[in-house]
Amino acid sequence: MTENPVQKLYNTYPFPPDPILNEPPPGYNWRWNWITAYNFCTGRKPATDKIRILDAGCGTGVSTEYLIHLNQNAEIVAIDLSENALAIAQKRAETSGVAAKHQAPITFQQMQLENAAHLSGEFDLINSVGVLHHLPDPHKGIKALADKLANGGVMHIFVYAELGRWGIQLMQEAIATLQGEQKGDYRDGVQVGRQIFANLPQDNPLVKYEKTRWSLENHRDECFADMYVHPVETDYNIKTLFELIEASGLEFVGFSNPKYWDINRLIGKCPDLIERTKNLSEREIYRLIELLDPTLSHYEFFLAKPPLVKYNWSDDNQLSNAKPEINPCLNGFPEATIFDQEYQIVRLTPEQIEFMQACNGVNTVSNILEKMTFNLDEVRQLIRENLIILTP
Ligand SMILES: C[S@@+](CC[C@H](N)C(=O)[O-])C[C@H]1O[C@@H](n2cnc3c(N)ncnc32)[C@H](O)[C@@H]1O
């Protein structure tokens, strides 16, 4: 395969440049744990963890390493265009020990995700973070991935948002202008970009934007190059994002950072304005949110291939018969102060701790409630806070 410009960028600057450790990665990211990701999409624990996961555009394998580590029984396939990034991904999984401990096959393969049809079988979870916006035709790419998703499977996608990247867009164009004929020489691009930042007046809006938002990560040339000298990039807004989603033919399940998408945090103090939002479609409300908080630099969301049966546990009988378990992405339980799946601090009452300690995946909710003073609405509160996960 002749090296294309995107491949050349990531062969020169494999991304992300996170160091390789000789121990498993710390903590968790619930979006990369099949149980919590599926629970987010459906409200229930999945029927099996013997599944297949595709990491499409795995880069140097930070996400792949978590996918391996957090899903012991899942077959993992990681693909990328850049052979240098893939080699690091494979080394990362081997050096940290997660590959040796894994209970199912792991494969790393160099290929374009547009050719995903060449992979055997279907996948229950497809993760593609920071990749589709670098394809010449993202609609074609997302469709190729969607075609490999099993019925009832879910896909996690991350793509750039234009509003929060205004400074990046301006700087990309400025660097390309100064590079002229040398555009495509990524090392030169990084040098030009660094010179611009070093020489602009310190109160320049682009310097301030870089300093406050990105400079912490951009001291690494790999990150600087990924941001400022990329040869192919599409930045989305709500309208074009949903065109991308429609091209997949999949169902939009929801943004995986739902707190940002709550209109109440912006205009909730004004009942009149909230009342006016009642006449708007879901997409109009999303657009309103990004207009009113234009710091957004990416969209992250789940799509699903129907049928996907959803549970809201409003039915008392159904909830009573369900078997609860502790969310696998919690830290600190059974202490009274724990971290939830978003690493937010949660303080538990003694009754919540007692209930959660009995959540072993075997007892039903009604079995547990027989022995303690706790009611179904209090169980629902634990579900809303993502502290427990239920099997119907
Ligand atoms: C910004 S990096 C993201 C890496 C990783 N997903 C992460 O979030 O840490 C983008 C990756 O996508 C890969 N890539 C770009 N276009 C691709 C394509 N058409 N098919 C497969 N991989 C691609 C690049 O080689 C690069 O490693």
Side-chain angles (χ1 to χ4, degrees), residues 118-254:
H118 298 164
L119 294 167
S120 67
E122 293 179 323
F123 296 90
D124 306 282
L125 171 63
I126 296 179
N127 179 64
S128 192
V129 168
V131 186
L132 288 172
H133 49 230
H134 293 316
L135 267 51
D137 184 349
H139 287 200
K140 187 174 161 202
I142 201 167
K143 180 72 172 67
L145 294 180
D147 288 344
K148 294 304 284 182
L149 193 63
N151 289 339
V154 302
M155 185 144 110
H156 184 239
I157 301 287
F158 171 118
V159 289
Y160 290 150
E162 65 186 16
L163 288 169
R165 291 178 65 84
W166 62 271
I168 296 169
Q169 289 173 348
L170 301 181
M171 186 54 85
Q172 284 171 343
E173 193 179 334
I175 293 171
T177 303
L178 284 169
Q179 274 198 287
E181 294 285 291
Q182 274 171 280
K183 188 168 182 276
D185 176 343
Y186 302 122
R187 292 192 192 282
D188 179 67
V190 168
Q191 188 187 331
V192 170
R194 293 220 185 270
Q195 284 172 332
I196 300 177
F197 277 125
N199 287 285
L200 280 173
Q202 288 307 292
D203 61 353
N204 174 284
L206 290 177
V207 174
K208 287 205 261 180
Y209 167 85
E210 160 71 15
K211 269 200 184 138
T212 50
R213 299 257 343 232
W214 313 112
S215 61
L216 218 58
E217 49 191 279
N218 280 349
H219 69 274
R220 299 291 307 256
D221 283 350
E222 292 87 347
C223 297
F224 192 94
D226 184 58
M227 188 166 284
Y228 290 116
V229 300
H230 213 293
V232 179
E233 180 177 313
T234 306
D235 295 343
Y236 291 89
N237 55 47
I238 279 295
K239 182 170 175 290
T240 54
L241 180 78
F242 276 91
E243 285 166 8
L244 176 73
I245 291 170
E246 270 150 30
S248 75
L250 300 175
E251 173 193 332
F252 176 72
V253 179

Side-chain angles (χ1 to χ4, degrees), residues 6 10 15-16 55-60 62-63 79-82 85 111-114 129-131 134-135 226:
V6 175
Y10 289 110
F15 186 91
D55 197 7
C58 64
T60 64
V62 170
S63 52
I79 61 171
D80 201 281
L81 180 62
S82 155
M111 68 182 292
Q112 299 197 343
L113 64 78
E114 294 91 326
V129 168
V131 186
H134 293 316
L135 267 51
D226 184 58

Side-chain angles (χ1 to χ4, degrees), residues 143-372:
K143 180 72 172 67
L145 294 180
D147 288 344
K148 294 304 284 182
L149 193 63
N151 289 339
V154 302
M155 185 144 110
H156 184 239
I157 301 287
F158 171 118
V159 289
Y160 290 150
E162 65 186 16
L163 288 169
R165 291 178 65 84
W166 62 271
I168 296 169
Q169 289 173 348
L170 301 181
M171 186 54 85
Q172 284 171 343
E173 193 179 334
I175 293 171
T177 303
L178 284 169
Q179 274 198 287
E181 294 285 291
Q182 274 171 280
K183 188 168 182 276
D185 176 343
Y186 302 122
R187 292 192 192 282
D188 179 67
V190 168
Q191 188 187 331
V192 170
R194 293 220 185 270
Q195 284 172 332
I196 300 177
F197 277 125
N199 287 285
L200 280 173
Q202 288 307 292
D203 61 353
N204 174 284
L206 290 177
V207 174
K208 287 205 261 180
Y209 167 85
E210 160 71 15
K211 269 200 184 138
T212 50
R213 299 257 343 232
W214 313 112
S215 61
L216 218 58
E217 49 191 279
N218 280 349
H219 69 274
R220 299 291 307 256
D221 283 350
E222 292 87 347
C223 297
F224 192 94
D226 184 58
M227 188 166 284
Y228 290 116
V229 300
H230 213 293
V232 179
E233 180 177 313
T234 306
D235 295 343
Y236 291 89
N237 55 47
I238 279 295
K239 182 170 175 290
T240 54
L241 180 78
F242 276 91
E243 285 166 8
L244 176 73
I245 291 170
E246 270 150 30
S248 75
L250 300 175
E251 173 193 332
F252 176 72
V253 179
F255 291 109
S256 60
N257 56 343
K259 281 194 182 137
Y260 175 87
W261 297 103
D262 178 5
I263 187 71
N264 286 301
R265 86 187 161 83
L266 296 166
I267 53 172
K269 284 192 193 141
C270 178
D272 180 44
L273 291 178
I274 290 294
E275 192 51 37
R276 286 167 192 262
T277 66
K278 305 262 156 65
N279 302 323
L280 302 178
S281 68
E282 188 179 56
R283 275 184 219 179
E284 285 171 323
I285 295 179
Y286 291 150
R287 177 64 179 158
L288 186 62
I289 293 170
E290 70 174 8
L291 290 173
L292 297 177
D293 183 1
T295 54
L296 187 75
S297 59
H298 75 265
Y299 300 98
E300 51 172 271
F301 52 96
F302 280 98
L303 304 178
K305 187 174 276 190
L308 201 74
V309 182
K310 294 181 186 155
Y311 289 76
N312 65 17
W313 305 108
S314 57
D315 180 83
D316 284 359
N317 210 19
Q318 196 178 47
L319 179 56
S320 300
N321 290 322
K323 294 174 182 150
E325 280 168 69
I326 305 288
N327 181 325
C329 295
L330 292 186
N331 195 339
F333 188 77
E335 299 295 320
T337 302
I338 63 171
F339 290 101
D340 68 10
Q341 66 177 22
E342 299 284 5
Y343 288 98
Q344 298 300 307
I345 286 183
V346 178
R347 293 197 171 77
L348 301 172
T349 64
E351 294 74 26
Q352 287 177 319
I353 295 175
E354 190 187 340
F355 180 87
M356 286 172 66
Q357 278 179 317
C359 291
N360 58 7
V362 178
N363 297 326
T364 62
V365 167
S366 63
N367 291 154
I368 303 172
L369 295 187
E370 270 166 25
K371 297 178 197 106
M372 62 176 294

